[in-house]
Amino acid sequence: LSNNVLPLRVGDDVATIDDVMGVIEILSRRREYTKLNPLVVLLGKGDHQITSSWTDEDGDERQTILEVTCCNITFVGTGTDTTTILGGFAIENFENITFKNMSVTNTSDNGIGIYMSNAKVELFDVALKGCRGYALDIPYSTSESTVVATRCEFANSHIGAAIKGSLTSATFNNCVFHNNIYAGVYGNQSTIHLHGDATAVHSNGRHGILAMSSAKVIIHLPSNHNTIYNNGLDRLTNGGATITNVL
């Protein structure tokens, strides 16, 4: 571990996912991790229950949320069908946080899959689904927040991805947003890019894509691509927001 040759294994090196951040903080004081050389946390097959709580910016305590307290961490599961996080993550003021090959489900009251503010996050092959609140939540923030998601699913939650703030940008590559109660994608003041032929926003209860208050949703696909369908209302803009195809 001191040479960053071995990853940190949940179930072997630490007992549960709740124990991870305490160990990471110790290791991060002993050596420098970087974006190219992050501390890797391996999550094996099965369910990983988060029992930690986190206090949000309004002072409300959120149950089953693990707060990420260091930069340059990569969480790796074995697949969306084999590694499931029961709970969610909160990332504030940290960068180079990556999640790969897992499902995240938070059924707690107003449960969030991933909350990030003033942060930089990447997602690869992650299914954020079955959350009672937002699967992905980026609130209004005072500095730049960016998320890049590739081959991810945002489903069966109140909102699939809520992207807010003029300093916030989100890029989704071949991602699917479906069967959310309110909206698949919600943008407010932010900039959102959708790329890839596998992109789909479908079967969401009220809105497929909802863009408000000067938000820009840019769909990098031809207008005849079957991108948005079978939603209560496929596209809705308000307050100078736009949803445009650029191919």
Side-chain angles (χ1 to χ4, degrees):
L1 286 172
S2 62
N3 293 322
N4 201 30
V5 174
L6 297 176
L8 186 64
R9 297 177 184 272
V10 175
D12 293 325
D13 302 312
V14 294
T16 70
I17 191 169
D18 286 292
D19 303 315
V20 162
M21 285 314 308
V23 176
I24 289 175
E25 288 176 6
I26 293 170
L27 294 175
S28 294
R29 288 195 293 267
R30 295 179 178 177
R31 63 155 296 139
E32 181 180 0
Y33 295 95
T34 65
K35 182 176 182 178
L36 295 177
N37 192 25
L39 197 158
V40 177
V41 178
L42 292 185
L43 297 151
K45 294 181 179 179
D47 294 342
H48 297 267
Q49 177 70 61
I50 293 174
T51 60
S52 303
S53 62
W54 161 71
T55 301
D56 66 19
E57 58 187 2
D58 296 321
D60 296 325
E61 186 177 31
R62 301 288 192 95
Q63 301 300 316
T64 62
I65 294 283
L66 181 65
E67 183 178 8
V68 175
T69 56
C70 295
C71 295
N72 304 310
I73 307 170
T74 297
F75 296 90
V76 183
T78 60
T80 56
D81 295 328
T82 53
T83 297
T84 300
I85 307 299
L86 301 177
F89 298 88
I91 306 152
E92 295 180 283
N93 307 310
F94 294 103
E95 61 182 12
N96 304 330
I97 308 300
T98 302
F99 299 89
K100 297 180 178 181
N101 305 327
M102 67 183 69
S103 292
V104 179
T105 298
N106 193 346
T107 59
S108 296
D109 185 36
N110 202 26
I112 297 171
I114 293 178
Y115 171 99
M116 51 175 287
S117 176
N118 300 334
K120 293 179 172 61
V121 172
E122 292 186 88
L123 309 172
F124 296 92
D125 301 296
V126 173
L128 296 167
K129 58 185 182 179
C131 298
R132 292 186 67 182
Y134 301 162
L136 173 65
D137 184 18
I138 309 180
Y140 305 99
S141 57
T142 56
S143 64
E144 182 182 10
S145 288
T146 62
V147 62
V148 178
T150 302
R151 297 181 303 276
C152 293
E153 179 185 7
F154 304 82
N156 301 105
S157 302
H158 184 67
I159 291 179
I163 315 297
K164 293 162 282 186
S166 59
L167 299 176
T168 299
S169 64
T171 300
F172 298 101
N173 302 304
N174 289 313
C175 293
V176 180
F177 309 80
H178 69 91
N179 293 101
N180 297 287
I181 295 170
Y182 186 74
V185 179
Y186 169 65
N188 193 313
Q189 300 181 11
S190 54
T191 301
I192 300 169
H193 296 271
L194 301 176
H195 296 264
D197 288 340
T199 299
V201 183
H202 71 86
S203 308
N204 297 286
R206 185 171 293 185
H207 304 288
I209 299 178
L210 173 61
M212 302 183 70
S213 301
S214 303
K216 297 179 181 179
V217 181
I218 304 165
I219 303 172
H220 299 261
L221 292 162
S223 58
N224 62 357
H225 179 270
N226 193 25
T227 308
I228 313 170
Y229 57 93
N230 197 34
N231 303 282
L233 185 65
D234 285 340
R235 304 183 185 209
L236 179 64
T237 59
N238 200 341
T242 58
I243 301 172
T244 55
N245 290 74
V246 296
L247 288 178

